[in-house]
Amino acid sequence: MVGALSPRADSQATPGGGANAAEAAGRRAGRLAAIAGAAERLRPWLIEQRRDFHRHPELSNREERTARVVAEQLRAAGLEEVRTGVAKHGVVALLRGARPGAVVAARADLDALPIQETLDVPYKSLNPGVKHACGHDVHTAVQLGVARVLSQMRDRIPGTVKFLFQPAEEGAPLGEDGGAAYMIAQGALADPQPGAIFGLHVAPDLDVGQIGYSLGPALASADRFLVTIRGRMSHGAWPQDGIDAIVVAAECIGALQTLRSRRIDTREPFVLSIGKIQGGTRSNIIADEVTLDGTVRTHSEAVRAQVKELMREVLDGVTAAHGARFTLDYRDGNPVTFNPPELVQATLPALRQVVGQAQVIERKPVMGAEDFAFYQQVVPGFFYFLGVRNTAKGITAMIHTAEFDVDEECLVVGVQAMANVLLDYLERAAASP
Ligand code: NI
């Protein structure tokens, strides 16, 4: 796997390597120009396609229309192998190049969020209470654009490109399967299995025209936990007859925060937040039960495992000290989104050629999460960020807000970036022995 990912160093070049290098440079320049021209010609179509998705946002696992449009557009682009109904509304399509070679995958997500649009734009959401507030309309339009561009270049593609259009990135409704893990379970990464997978996400903290990346961890693991603390009910004036679950819960909350301050390596990013607390019945009744609902985020699977264990230890000690009991329902969510450094380093030249060296920016990893991480557990994957901010146009809102929007210039940039990344990967794989 690593061999195919590593660009050949000049120092290892055999005699005649100079000619090979010149040949590779020529091929690269040709590829860049061909993709740039094709992406530019797609500009009006990309904008209209993104606006169509934006007008018709659909919630997680309900992406019926979006998936239908995606499949139609893929077929219109000339892709013959379009599989629909994967993990509910997912679409997986293959684009076979004219020459044999490796397989590479790209992933876009389809779902929107339960947020009421407040923007007054010609393409505002027609679906009350639902909005593409995380840019998945952009991701899907860009990936359709990539399929169109590469479909016109089959003769120069050594290998196969697999396109994954994934539902429910934001999380399936309670009780339903969904998202990346479900796509994998339904064979999205099999037959053929790609050698690598790439994904991009809009970034409102980067200007349009910029691309961001992180080496190693890029986004956090995100787990949910539900703690139930059980005491004993009594009259509020006779607390000695009961076990006050509220007082015990308060101690648990404080003690859990000491995991951050006193137990976990201070150099390791880690967040434990309790977002919801519920308990008690009345002012003069000692509560017999309190539930705490929260999230744990880390950038390391080792820290994640350690936190899980320490939480149990702390809850066990604190509740025992008061004669209370507890249950911990710890639900694993997305793993750490981890970009293997060798894959990132091998890919960066292609991104730098598209937007320019200074526009490719290394970013600190964030504590947000992405289910792209599940694909990375199966094959090496690189998840990078596409700038969408334009301060002059007032486009600065954060994702997951009612005001979120993008500078649509990002569409052509996104198509150029991803098309080059995919083709560059296949060319490198074809060039390595
Ligand atoms: Ni998103």
Side-chain angles (χ1 to χ4, degrees), residues 109 134-136 139 169-170 201 370 399-400:
D109 38 14
C134 198
H136 299 187
H139 308 162
E169 193 285 322
E170 302 287 355
H201 202 289
E370 240 299 329
I399 51 172
H400 290 222

Side-chain angles (χ1 to χ4, degrees), residues 168-191:
E169 193 285 322
E170 302 287 355
L174 214 64
E176 292 182 27
D177 288 326
Y182 196 26
M183 289 282 284
I184 295 165
Q186 300 234 314
L189 285 184
D191 192 30

Side-chain angles (χ1 to χ4, degrees), residues 88-113:
K88 281 201 163 62
H89 300 300
V91 181
V92 178
L94 289 180
L95 189 153
R96 295 191 195 271
R99 289 183 282 144
V103 181
V104 67
R107 176 275 214 161
D109 38 14
L110 305 172
D111 53 333
L113 287 161

Side-chain angles (χ1 to χ4, degrees), residues 40-297:
E40 195 52 55
R41 285 191 292 279
L42 274 188
R43 178 186 296 269
W45 178 86
L46 283 167
I47 291 173
E48 199 30 63
Q49 193 55 74
R50 179 260 164 168
R51 291 184 174 192
D52 177 67
F53 290 136
H54 196 89
R55 282 189 198 101
H56 304 283
E58 294 172 299
L59 292 174
S60 307
N61 268 358
R62 303 292 180 268
E63 308 91 339
E64 222 167 302
R65 179 188 183 276
T66 310
R68 194 174 65 240
V69 172
V70 163
E72 277 165 12
Q73 289 293 347
L74 289 171
R75 290 192 183 104
L79 277 72
E80 302 86 15
E81 297 168 69
V82 179
R83 194 180 147 206
T84 57
V86 184
K88 281 201 163 62
H89 300 300
V91 181
V92 178
L94 289 180
L95 189 153
R96 295 191 195 271
R99 289 183 282 144
V103 181
V104 67
R107 176 275 214 161
D109 38 14
L110 305 172
D111 53 333
L113 287 161
I115 293 178
Q116 176 64 44
E117 177 110 87
T118 57
L119 292 175
D120 187 19
V121 287
Y123 46 90
K124 69 174 173 239
S125 169
L126 300 175
N127 195 351
V130 185
K131 171 187 163 87
H132 270 294
C134 198
H136 299 187
D137 50 343
V138 171
H139 308 162
T140 302
V142 162
Q143 189 154 297
L144 285 176
V146 171
R148 281 184 69 154
V149 165
L150 293 182
S151 180
Q152 296 160 16
M153 298 174 65
R154 279 177 203 257
D155 54 324
R156 62 183 300 159
I157 299 179
T160 300
V161 182
K162 188 172 213 178
F163 293 103
L164 273 58
F165 292 87
Q166 179 211 300
E169 193 285 322
E170 302 287 355
L174 214 64
E176 292 182 27
D177 288 326
Y182 196 26
M183 289 282 284
I184 295 165
Q186 300 234 314
L189 285 184
D191 192 30
Q193 174 163 322
I197 184 165
F198 296 90
L200 57 74
H201 202 289
V202 298
D205 60 335
L206 291 172
D207 288 334
V208 67
Q210 293 180 325
I211 284 173
Y213 72 94
S214 302
L215 278 169
L219 293 126
S221 63
D223 301 329
R224 181 174 176 197
F225 64 82
L226 291 149
V227 179
T228 305
I229 293 160
R230 291 198 179 81
R232 191 170 60 239
M233 194 180 281
S234 70
H235 193 296
W238 283 266
Q240 68 276 19
D241 290 345
I243 296 172
D244 190 343
I246 287 180
V247 169
V248 178
E251 270 190 40
C252 286
I253 293 165
L256 286 171
Q257 289 307 322
T258 65
L259 297 185
R260 169 66 287 177
S261 68
R262 290 297 177 269
R263 302 295 295 275
I264 297 293
D265 187 334
T266 52
R267 296 162 298 180
E268 292 283 358
F270 157 50
V271 172
L272 187 157
S273 297
I274 293 166
K276 187 176 164 190
I277 171 166
Q278 223 166 4
T281 43
R282 217 187 119 93
S283 61
N284 58 358
I285 300 171
I286 296 295
D288 64 343
E289 191 175 295
V290 174
T291 57
L292 313 174
D293 194 347
T295 181
V296 166
R297 313 254 169 159

